[in-house]
Amino acid sequence: MFPLSRNFLKFAAASAIVALTAVSTPSRADELVQHLGPVGPHEPILATLGNKRVIAFYEPDNGRCAVSAVVYDKTDADTGMTTAARVRVSLNPREVVYVDSTDNKTLSLQCGDYAEILSVVDAEQQVASKASR
């Protein structure tokens, strides 16, 4: 009945997908995508932590954040292998978990109020704000 409007909607949807893909694609092949949040349940946080990569997500658990994080080496050029470790922790709202790398880098993940979000926070600001209370 409205073939022009249906074609326009298909074109608009395809254009939106292409635009979103272009925005999230790194500009160079060796750049890795970063997504530091805040994120909702089951959405990933993707971060570089010194010489490591981190993928973290959470599930709401009775008002708490059940956080899972996988820390792994970038693929070893000599062996072609990737090593990984998984960490699971349950955080109360506003609690922070610190993930440290061997080269003195820290990724701080904070559970939001009512376990609605998980976000990366600046560790130095967190320490300063707790000291001033």
Side-chain angles (χ1 to χ4, degrees):
M1 184 171 170
F2 299 102
L4 180 59
S5 63
R6 286 185 186 162
N7 287 336
F8 178 76
L9 291 176
K10 289 178 186 178
F11 177 76
S15 297
I17 291 171
V18 169
L20 289 174
T21 303
V23 168
S24 66
T25 304
S27 60
R28 292 184 353 205
D30 62 343
E31 286 183 32
L32 299 173
V33 174
Q34 298 258 62
H35 185 260
L36 302 178
V39 297
H42 310 285
E43 295 178 30
I45 286 180
L46 306 170
T48 299
L49 182 61
N51 61 352
K52 308 269 188 216
R53 290 286 291 163
V54 177
I55 299 173
F57 68 94
Y58 83 101
E59 298 175 343
D61 183 26
N62 294 323
R64 299 172 56 128
C65 293
V67 179
S68 292
V70 177
V71 181
Y72 62 95
D73 290 322
K74 297 174 187 174
T75 303
D76 186 338
D78 296 328
T79 64
M81 302 289 290
T82 299
T83 58
R86 180 179 178 195
V87 178
R88 293 186 300 168
V89 64
S90 185
L91 300 174
N92 288 317
R94 301 179 121 324
E95 273 190 321
V96 177
V97 63
Y98 302 98
V99 180
D100 297 328
S101 72
T102 56
D103 53 349
N104 296 323
K105 304 291 182 191
T106 300
L107 179 71
S108 305
L109 300 170
Q110 183 177 39
C111 180
D113 292 332
Y114 310 107
E116 291 177 345
I117 61 168
L118 180 68
S119 57
V120 174
V121 293
D122 183 2
E124 291 178 13
Q125 286 180 343
Q126 278 298 113
V127 172
S129 68
K130 287 182 181 179
S132 64
R133 285 185 184 173

